[in-house]
């Protein structure tokens, strides 16, 4: 760490009450803006200069600002291992070997951080989590480059790497400083197109009036204005977090003062506690995205309809989408969006055999990956499991209740639809403030204490809803809906789009269990046809077999 660099941060920490490391982290995000401006102005024809600049800035952040010498070692181990595995391991298991090593190494650091239990210190775990996403995707991209195009979907063809990058390019990708500590993550193919500026090529025949404006001879479009807006937005969220965190924090919901309020007031405080926590992430992700935009990497082309340049390639959060969400899917898909993409492209679709639809295996593998990637605090798992059941309830409501508030053809809302929307918004937001509280509280005693103080209302609501949709009431709803909407045909379950898991959450845990039962039965029948004496289990035997398939207790 550079001498005396802590002095200004210690002074500000004394004034604001924030920790020194938290202030230095925000300072690194802000410093990335002028440095990103310098990066963009390095010669397009000399990408090696850009790579060297990126590496030097990241080294300054790691050891000049934070004294994270061990952090450099951690990132080097991950980067070197992924590159060596991609270089020397042949065959379909190469990406899985890289995945197991990277996740295992990160898990060690998760345990270390959990036992250290000092949230005010910045360690390398956050940067490693981002790097794990980038490097596991890198291994898959290399593997895709070894396959025929006909065996890949369009996204995989676009990101496939047919040859390994040079060590300098690879190091620049690993240590891209605007996204070093908090993301966003991106694939190497995107970085390569950014470094060699092919990302900014204008298709032949494009109307000059609809091309992105540039300065002088640079191919990277002007991005100062959108970057400034992102920076201003991020600072606004950070300012709001600093103002509200003394009012709504874990000490309040865990303290005796919390129980002096009535039930509704306690729920409101829990909602504001969750909102205040989200503000920090809104601010951090907005600041890092803005620096990526200023560097040029956030470029996503020109909208052919409006002619406006799009800079949302690396958008990681949509605050309005979360705060106005009326259902669980809208809530989750607007949060940590790049992690959602990573889980979908590097796990959910990868464990599904070619020609088959993703089933419970894909959902389970994605769920486990997401949970392990976050860490091992019990609070993470409480939130994940409860959110999975919320998704099931939301799906049932959308399929069996929402159509009553639409015209029989399902095309237009009835006058009562607004009341359904308001109720859906209220239920979604209050359910998620309960569900996400363990993600902040982390430890099991703290989670149980806070949940008990609001009488486990979301868990009781989940139990009542699951019982309702498992009762004859569901049959009555289906029958009533069919009679109401005749002669209009309602989509069957097979016709509806089955959503891919968001944040690793299975979209329908009940369906996954049914698929597990069916797979066990099919496997036994296949063995019987081959002459085995296996029989279809029942009762407790079937329950144990399903638990073994799912990898968890029912």
């Amino acid at each position: 760490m550079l001498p005396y660099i802590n002095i200004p941060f210690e002074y500000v920490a004394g004034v604001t009450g924030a920790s020194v490391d938290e202030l230095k982290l925000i300072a690194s995000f802000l410093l990335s803006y002028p440095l990103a401006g310098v990066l963009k102005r390095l010669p397009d024809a000399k990408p090696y200069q850009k790579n060297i600049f990126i590496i030097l800035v990241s080294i300054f952040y790691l050891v000049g600002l934070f004294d994270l010498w061990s952090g450099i070692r951690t990132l080097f181990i991950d980067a070197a291992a992924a590159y060596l595995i991609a270089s020397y391991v042949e065959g379909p298991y190469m990406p899985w070997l890289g995945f197991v090593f990277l996740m295992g190494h990160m898990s060690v650091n998760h345990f270390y951080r959990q036992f250290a239990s000092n949230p005010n210190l910045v360690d390398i775990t956050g940067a490693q989590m981002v790097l794990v996403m980038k490097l596991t995707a890198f291994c898959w991209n290399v593997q895709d480059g070894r396959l025929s195009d006909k065996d890949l979907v369009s996204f995989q063809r676009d990101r496939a790497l047919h040859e390994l990058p040079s060590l300098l390019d690879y190091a620049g990708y690993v240590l891209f400083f605007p996204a070093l500590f908090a993301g966003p993550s991106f694939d190497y193919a995107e970085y390569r197109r950014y470094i060699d500026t092919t990302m900014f090529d204008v298709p032949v025949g494009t109307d000059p009036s609809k091309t992105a404006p540039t300065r002088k001879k640079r191919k990277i479009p002007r991005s100062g204005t959108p970057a400034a807006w992102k920076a201003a937005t991020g600072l606004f969220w950070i300012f709001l977090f600093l103002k509200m965190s003394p009012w709504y924090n874990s000490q309040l919901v865990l303290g005796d003062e919390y129980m002096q309020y009535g039930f509704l007031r306690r729920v409101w405080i829990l909602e504001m506690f969750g909102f205040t926590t989200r503000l920090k992430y809104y601010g951090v992700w907005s600041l890092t995205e803005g620096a990526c935009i200023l560097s040029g990497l956030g470029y996503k082309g020109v909208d052919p309809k409006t002619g406006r340049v799009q800079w949302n390639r690396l958008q990681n959060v949509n605050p309005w989408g979360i705060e106005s969400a009326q259902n669980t899917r809208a809530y989750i898909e607007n949060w940590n969006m790049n992690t959602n993409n990573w889980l979908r492209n590097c796990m959910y679709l990868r464990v599904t055999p070619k020609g088959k639809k993703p089933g419970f295996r894909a959902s389970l593998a994605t769920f486990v990956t997401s949970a392990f990637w976050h860490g091992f605090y019990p609070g993470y798992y409480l939130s994940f499991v409860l959110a999975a059941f919320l998704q099931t309830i939301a799906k049932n409501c959308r399929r069996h209740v929402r159509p009553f508030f639409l015209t029989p053809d399902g095309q237009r809302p009835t006058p009562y639809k607004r009341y359904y929307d308001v109720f859906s918004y209220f239920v979604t937001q209050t359910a998620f403030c309960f569900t996400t509280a363990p993600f902040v509280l982390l430890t099991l005693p703290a989670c149980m204490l806070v949940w008990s103080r609001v009488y486990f209302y979301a868990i009781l609501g989940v139990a009542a809803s699951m019982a309702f949709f498992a009762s004859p009431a569901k049959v009555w709803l289906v029958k009533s809906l069919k009679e109401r909407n005749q002669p209009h045909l309602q989509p069957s379950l097979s016709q509806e789009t089955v959503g891919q898991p968001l944040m690793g959450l299975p979209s329908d845990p009940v369906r996954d269990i049914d698929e597990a039962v069916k797979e066990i039965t099919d496997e036994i029948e296949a063995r019987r046809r081959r002459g085995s004496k296996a029989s279809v289990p029942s009762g407790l035997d079937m329950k144990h077999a399903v638990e073994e398939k799912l990898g968890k207790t029912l």
Side-chain angles (χ1 to χ4, degrees), residues 38 73 85 126 142 180 235 240 246 249 316 349 395 438 464 488 534 539:
V38 174
R73 181 186 62 218
I85 289 171
V142 172
L180 178 65
L235 289 174
L240 204 56
N249 49 56
N316 205 33
L349 298 178
K395 184 208 69 171
H488 301 281

Side-chain angles (χ1 to χ4, degrees), residues 305-321:
K305 295 181 179 179
T306 64
R308 299 184 61 180
V309 181
Q310 297 175 307
W311 290 101
N312 61 339
R313 174 185 292 274
L314 300 179
Q315 183 179 6
N316 205 33
V317 68
N318 177 7
W320 175 250

Side-chain angles (χ1 to χ4, degrees), residues 39 130 133-134 155 159 173 176-180 182-191 194 199-200 230 281-282 284-301 310-319 334-341:
L39 174 62
V130 176
M133 289 193 286
K134 293 166 69 174
F155 175 85
R159 306 299 171 89
Y173 168 66
F176 188 69
F177 67 84
L180 178 65
S185 67
F186 47 89
D187 289 345
Y188 177 79
E190 296 175 286
Y191 180 76
Y194 163 72
M199 176 186 288
F200 313 103
K230 277 293 177 182
Y281 292 95
Y282 293 164
V284 167
W285 285 335
S286 295
L287 288 175
T288 56
E289 184 191 353
C292 291
I293 289 173
L294 189 59
S295 72
L297 188 57
Y299 179 75
K300 200 180 179 181
Q310 297 175 307
W311 290 101
N312 61 339
R313 174 185 292 274
L314 300 179
Q315 183 179 6
N316 205 33
V317 68
N318 177 7
N334 287 295
W335 175 264
N336 212 349
M337 297 154 72
N338 286 291
T339 301
N340 281 325
N341 294 335

Side-chain angles (χ1 to χ4, degrees), residues 241-255:
F241 168 73
L242 292 175
K243 292 294 291 183
M244 295 183 64
S245 56
W247 305 333
Y248 302 103
N249 49 56
S250 57
Q251 287 77 20
L252 174 61
V253 296
L254 292 171

